[in-house]
């Protein structure tokens, strides 16, 4: 079954990035000149998925403005003959069919996903977290959809993160963390190093069976007192197979200051018009 719908939870408060995120949604922080959320939407569109639900919250109005038409700006760019910029701006408002719903209280990622129930209906769907962006030849969510196509069960996108980092992630317990596709035995949200079954972490990309909604409804608050998607997926894994897929690509945690800086530098170096000058600037810093 083709994956037709994607959900982007974007209601988080961005406390790791204050004060920048006091009034601005963290999803709008730019990597060079593009909001991280736009990179995530483009990944979805490249994978052939056109219906996207963004779960927002209070103070996230800039997100809707960004993906809307911007008539004054378009007219201004047209009048000034700035054709390239105009094309760029027009492209954003026609990228995909974007829908919005508000998560009224910050009760956790599991609860945010539950807000997508009506939109999703009874079919498998993609979930992408905006804190994780991945530079890859093939869009990561498309890689997961291909695995879904073969397995017909839930797939979580993973990479090894090192044992010193397991406490920050949802972690997979499996017989073979080296395998590119492997059955999940257990999922634990933010385990202590001593409790983690491996250092294979779930990194913000999922294709999920709709049975998850009924499970989330009765999932108790877990790590951080929040209703965790990982806990609901762990229950799902006890009822039907859930697969961990190690995706290809360079992943950045842009919700973290260092991860954000790494993404900024590396994306800038990939830009033709910036790379040469920026590289010589970076080289000059070594002295
Ligand atoms: C969330 C998920 C966690 C996942 C992480 C990175 O945690 O709950 O399972 O490993 O994103 O994608 P957060 O970073 O929001 O605390």
């Amino acid at each position: 079954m083709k994956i037709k719908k994607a959900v982007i939870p974007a209601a988080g408060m961005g406390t790791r990035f204050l004060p920048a995120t006091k009034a601005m949604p963290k999803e709008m922080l730019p990597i060079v000149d593009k909001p991280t959320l736009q990179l995530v939407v483009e990944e979805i569109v490249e994978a052939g998925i056109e219906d996207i639900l963004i779960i927002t919250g209070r103070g996230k109005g800039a997100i809707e403005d960004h993906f809307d038409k911007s008539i004054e700006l378009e007219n201004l760019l047209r009048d000034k003959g700035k054709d390239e910029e105009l094309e760029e701006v027009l492209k954003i408002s026609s990228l995909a069919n974007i829908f919005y719903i508000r998560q009224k209280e910050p009760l956790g990622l599991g609860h945010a996903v539950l807000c997508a129930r009506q939109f999703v209906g009874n079919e498998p769907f993609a979930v992408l977290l905006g804190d994780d962006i991945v530079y890859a030849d093939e869009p990561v969510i498309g890689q997961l959809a291909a695995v879904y196509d073969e397995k017909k069960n839930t797939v979580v996108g993973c990479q090894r993160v090192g044992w010193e980092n397991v406490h920050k992630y949802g972690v997979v317990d499996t017989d073979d963390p080296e395998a590119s596709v492997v059955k999940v035995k257990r999922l634990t949200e933010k385990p202590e190093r001593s409790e983690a079954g491996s250092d294979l972490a779930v990194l913000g990309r999922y294709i999920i069976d709709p049975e998850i909604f009924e499970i989330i409804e009765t999932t108790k608050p877990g790590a951080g007192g929040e209703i965790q998607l990982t806990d609901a997926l762990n229950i799902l894994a006890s009822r039907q197979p859930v697969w961990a897929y190690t995706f290809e690509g360079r992943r950045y945690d842009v919700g973290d200051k260092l991860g954000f800086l790494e993404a900024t530098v590396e994306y800038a170096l990939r830009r033709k018009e910036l790379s040469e000058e920026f590289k010589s600037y970076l080289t000059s810093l070594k002295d």
Side-chain angles (χ1 to χ4, degrees), residues 30 71 124 142 145 156-157 178 180 193 243:
I71 308 292
V156 293
E178 305 274 337
S180 82
R193 187 178 172 144
W243 301 92

Side-chain angles (χ1 to χ4, degrees), residues 8-204:
I8 309 176
M13 306 284 278
T15 48
R16 287 193 290 166
F17 232 110
L18 284 166
T21 49
K22 184 164 177 279
M24 181 175 68
K26 66 170 174 170
E27 296 77 14
M28 294 303 292
L29 287 168
I31 305 300
V32 187
D33 53 7
K34 211 176 254 189
T36 53
L37 188 57
Q38 189 180 331
L39 291 169
V40 175
V41 168
E42 286 175 356
E43 177 186 330
I44 296 170
V45 172
E46 274 171 42
I49 302 172
E50 284 169 9
D51 290 342
I52 302 173
L53 177 71
I54 302 181
I55 299 168
T56 65
R58 274 184 290 282
K60 300 275 184 169
I63 293 179
E64 289 177 49
D65 290 343
H66 184 72
F67 292 102
D68 196 0
K69 279 188 79 66
S70 180
I71 308 292
E72 285 98 0
L73 179 62
E74 287 165 24
N75 287 342
L76 183 102
L77 294 172
R78 208 171 278 119
D79 290 349
K80 292 200 180 278
K82 292 189 177 269
D83 297 339
E84 258 176 58
E85 290 84 350
L86 177 62
E87 201 185 314
E88 189 75 39
V89 165
L90 288 173
K91 204 178 72 189
I92 299 170
S93 58
S94 58
L95 267 175
N97 305 318
I98 304 187
F99 303 82
Y100 300 92
I101 191 166
R102 275 193 181 204
Q103 182 187 21
K104 296 193 181 78
E105 289 173 273
L107 297 178
L109 181 59
H111 177 263
V113 170
L114 186 58
C115 298
R117 192 175 200 166
Q118 295 294 326
F119 167 80
V120 167
N122 195 28
E123 49 186 297
F125 63 104
V127 173
L128 296 93
L129 308 186
D131 280 351
D132 295 285
I133 58 167
V134 188
Y135 185 80
D137 291 338
E138 202 193 319
V140 175
I141 204 63
Q143 296 178 35
L144 265 73
V147 177
Y148 179 87
D149 224 26
E150 196 187 305
K151 300 288 188 190
K152 314 280 186 252
N153 294 119
T154 298
V155 185
V156 293
C158 301
Q159 280 189 347
R160 312 276 297 268
V161 292
W163 289 95
E164 67 283 11
N165 291 313
V166 289
H167 64 282
K168 297 190 239 169
Y169 298 104
V171 172
V172 173
D173 193 347
T174 163
D175 287 332
D176 185 7
E178 305 274 337
S180 82
V181 181
V182 69
K183 203 163 167 188
V184 169
K185 284 166 67 182
R186 189 174 55 119
L187 282 159
T188 319
E189 181 67 15
K190 303 196 171 62
E192 298 285 328
R193 187 178 172 144
S194 56
E195 289 162 10
S198 77
D199 67 342
L200 190 63
V202 184
L203 298 176

Side-chain angles (χ1 to χ4, degrees), residues 192-247:
E192 298 285 328
R193 187 178 172 144
S194 56
E195 289 162 10
S198 77
D199 67 342
L200 190 63
V202 184
L203 298 176
R205 297 294 181 274
Y206 313 76
I207 305 281
I208 307 182
D209 187 280
E211 190 175 333
I212 199 76
F213 294 122
E214 178 208 313
I215 296 175
I216 298 172
E217 273 189 327
T218 55
T219 300
K220 304 245 163 7
E226 297 186 345
I227 298 171
Q228 295 290 351
L229 179 61
T230 305
D231 294 344
L233 286 166
N234 188 44
I235 298 171
L236 187 70
S238 67
R239 297 187 186 177
Q240 52 174 263
V242 170
W243 301 92
Y245 164 67
T246 299
F247 60 77

